[in-house]
Amino acid sequence: MDLHILDHKLRVISITKTGLQQYTHPLIKLIFLRNRTRCKFFSLTETPENYTVVLDEEGFKELQSSEHLQVEGSTWLPLNVVSNGNASSSSQAVGVTKIAKSVIAPLAEQHVSVFMLSTYQTDFILVREKDLSVVVETLLEEFNIFREEGGESVPVHSQDACNGLQRNGREGPHATVHPVLIPENQFCVMSLDPDTLPTIATTLIDVLFYSNSPKEGASVDQDMECIKFFSFSLIDGYVSLVMDTEAQRQFPADLLFTSSSGELWRMVRIGGQPLGFGELHSPSDTFFWSFECSMYHLAMPECIAASSVKGKKRNKKKKDYKYTYNSFSITRYQ
């Protein structure tokens, strides 16, 4: 397998729900006006807590600092694992299962934090720029590693990235087991032709900026049967959308496309409180990852979720809905 270090330098940002109106104009520009910005990597995700934005340095220039904008201090580099030597977003993706086993787990052993971003087209593993030498040294035996430079894929050798490398010398990772919580709504992973974005502009703006979302500061565990989760990504010209079936019904069916099976997904929230950028090792199933500034989310096929749930809704007469619990837990290395 090949591991490509893509030619993007990324920032991870959190925008508060109450401060979103301050950033509506630049976000709309980044989504719809591709010809007026040099941003090539943009992802916006809404969760019950906040909005998480992952974007390159050109896109970052569009966002003015304020009390509503929290910037994670590191610069991140996106990695892409492919099986056919092509690092483009349309190449044959390896899948999160193999990525978790061959990339995330070995990096966790070296105390390297990752930020996972899955799209309709492929999966990106984001690592801090300062950790790149450790990443290369750790994964070089398993992968052919290339770095994109000016549109060319240049092979990376151990001596190229690892001069002066010092192991952290810390003890092996200690596993912490977190519960996983599964809300009731079902999700779709879709894409569309970027040229048709103007056609759905009104609907997309309404869903992103004017939907009825939980108020900031409200507890996510407060009697919520469903959670708000919507993700839009525009990366190197490819569009990816993640939304629940209720939001999907607002869009024209003939413009959105998904897998031939039309598979539905269930969202899983990891832990009951913010975890930060830790290293996670997931169970060996098919997952769709999305790490945000405050929480981790993953999606699993409906059939897997249904067979894994062991809890049920309680106090139904009082409409006191509780999240169902999954029968496995996620191990976070720290």
Side-chain angles (χ1 to χ4, degrees), residues 137-174:
E137 179 74 4
T138 302
L139 302 179
L140 200 55
E141 291 186 5
E142 181 74 20
F143 295 94
N144 299 313
I145 301 179
F146 300 87
R147 184 160 192 168
E148 288 191 355
E149 297 180 0
E152 299 290 333
S153 295
V154 180
V156 175
H157 304 288
S158 179
Q159 63 270 22
D160 296 334
C162 304
N163 289 333
L165 171 66
Q166 294 182 354
R167 294 292 182 177
N168 52 46
R170 293 187 289 176
E171 297 179 359
H174 300 285

Side-chain angles (χ1 to χ4, degrees), residues 4-149:
H4 290 259
I5 305 167
L6 304 184
D7 192 16
H8 298 291
K9 292 190 176 183
L10 307 178
R11 305 304 297 269
V12 179
I13 299 165
S14 173
I15 301 175
T16 65
K17 290 291 183 76
T18 56
L20 178 66
Q21 60 182 3
Q22 183 174 334
Y23 295 97
T24 301
H25 180 268
L27 291 175
I28 288 177
K29 178 180 179 181
L30 290 167
I31 293 171
F32 296 107
L33 304 177
R34 290 179 293 154
N35 295 331
R36 298 189 182 182
T37 174
R38 298 172 64 184
C39 180
K40 302 298 182 184
F41 195 113
F42 174 82
S43 178
L44 171 65
T45 301
E46 181 186 2
T47 66
E49 293 80 17
N50 54 33
Y51 292 84
T52 293
V53 184
V54 181
L55 73 177
D56 60 25
E57 293 179 325
E58 290 296 331
F60 183 61
K61 296 175 183 178
E62 301 286 344
L63 304 179
Q64 298 295 321
S65 60
S66 78
E67 61 181 357
H68 300 289
L69 188 75
Q70 179 183 353
V71 182
E72 205 282 328
S74 302
T75 297
W76 297 76
L77 303 177
L79 313 179
N80 188 216
V81 179
V82 295
S83 59
N84 62 351
N86 186 350
S88 70
S89 297
S90 60
S91 63
Q92 182 180 353
V94 170
V96 177
T97 302
K98 289 185 178 180
I99 290 174
K101 180 179 179 181
S102 60
V103 178
I104 298 178
L107 293 181
E109 294 289 336
Q110 298 299 323
H111 301 272
V112 174
S113 295
V114 300
F115 185 105
M116 191 77 183
L117 177 64
S118 293
T119 67
Y120 178 88
Q121 292 82 16
T122 190
D123 304 294
F124 298 98
I125 313 104
L126 276 60
V127 298
R128 289 186 174 96
E129 187 175 33
K130 66 182 180 64
D131 291 331
L132 182 60
S133 59
V134 179
V135 171
V136 171
E137 179 74 4
T138 302
L139 302 179
L140 200 55
E141 291 186 5
E142 181 74 20
F143 295 94
N144 299 313
I145 301 179
F146 300 87
R147 184 160 192 168
E148 288 191 355
E149 297 180 0

Side-chain angles (χ1 to χ4, degrees), residues 202-245:
T202 301
T203 303
L204 186 57
I205 290 173
D206 183 61
V207 171
L208 279 173
F209 303 117
Y210 300 103
S211 60
N212 295 321
S213 304
K215 294 182 179 180
E216 185 175 8
S219 172
V220 180
D221 295 325
Q222 289 178 352
D223 306 339
M224 293 174 58
E225 183 180 19
C226 301
I227 67 167
K228 174 66 178 182
F229 186 99
F230 187 94
S231 180
F232 172 91
S233 298
L234 179 55
I235 300 173
D236 290 330
Y238 293 90
V239 175
S240 177
L241 295 154
V242 182
M243 67 186 81
D244 65 15
T245 52

Side-chain angles (χ1 to χ4, degrees), residues 173-304:
H174 300 285
T176 302
V177 177
H178 297 280
V180 293
L181 309 173
I182 307 178
E184 292 296 316
N185 41 339
Q186 299 171 316
F187 290 83
C188 312
V189 181
M190 296 171 292
S191 184
L192 55 78
D193 184 338
D195 292 334
T196 64
L197 273 174
T199 307
I200 64 167
T202 301
T203 303
L204 186 57
I205 290 173
D206 183 61
V207 171
L208 279 173
F209 303 117
Y210 300 103
S211 60
N212 295 321
S213 304
K215 294 182 179 180
E216 185 175 8
S219 172
V220 180
D221 295 325
Q222 289 178 352
D223 306 339
M224 293 174 58
E225 183 180 19
C226 301
I227 67 167
K228 174 66 178 182
F229 186 99
F230 187 94
S231 180
F232 172 91
S233 298
L234 179 55
I235 300 173
D236 290 330
Y238 293 90
V239 175
S240 177
L241 295 154
V242 182
M243 67 186 81
D244 65 15
T245 52
E246 181 178 352
Q248 180 194 17
R249 286 191 286 269
Q250 301 180 49
F251 291 86
D254 58 334
L255 294 182
L256 301 177
F257 50 87
T258 183
S259 64
S260 57
S261 64
E263 191 170 43
L264 295 176
W265 299 70
R266 293 283 294 277
M267 191 61 63
V268 179
R269 288 172 61 89
I270 302 174
Q273 60 185 1
L275 300 178
F277 294 104
E279 303 83 37
L280 292 178
H281 175 64
S282 67
S284 56
D285 274 316
T286 301
F287 294 125
F288 182 97
W289 282 101
S290 180
F291 289 12
E292 282 71 54
C293 284
S294 59
M295 297 290 292
Y296 296 139
H297 295 80
L298 64 89
M300 61 173 64
E302 172 71 19
C303 58
I304 297 177

